[in-house]
Amino acid sequence: MYAHLGDRLIIETPSNGFDRRDGESICLHHHDGTPPSEPAMSARDTTRPVPP
């Protein structure tokens, strides 16, 4: 999975009633876009590394 700045990330978890989170890539740890990237999650105002 390669990321670019501004990519949208959508995470759905059907096991708990379709919890859906989304974010936008704001930080790349590698210039070629390889993992991990850090999205800013829209609902929580937080960032954290996302593994592949």
Side-chain angles (χ1 to χ4, degrees):
M1 177 170 72
Y2 292 92
H4 298 90
L5 290 178
D7 281 355
R8 302 279 306 166
L9 175 69
I10 299 172
I11 301 171
E12 291 184 340
T13 309
S15 63
N16 63 356
F18 267 117
D19 179 28
R20 185 176 189 168
R21 297 176 286 158
D22 67 296
E24 179 180 346
S25 292
I26 61 165
C27 178
L28 302 176
H29 289 264
H30 304 279
H31 293 290
D32 63 356
T34 54
S37 64
E38 288 191 35
M41 303 308 285
S42 62
R44 294 189 176 100
D45 292 328
T46 60
T47 63
R48 64 179 169 186
V50 174

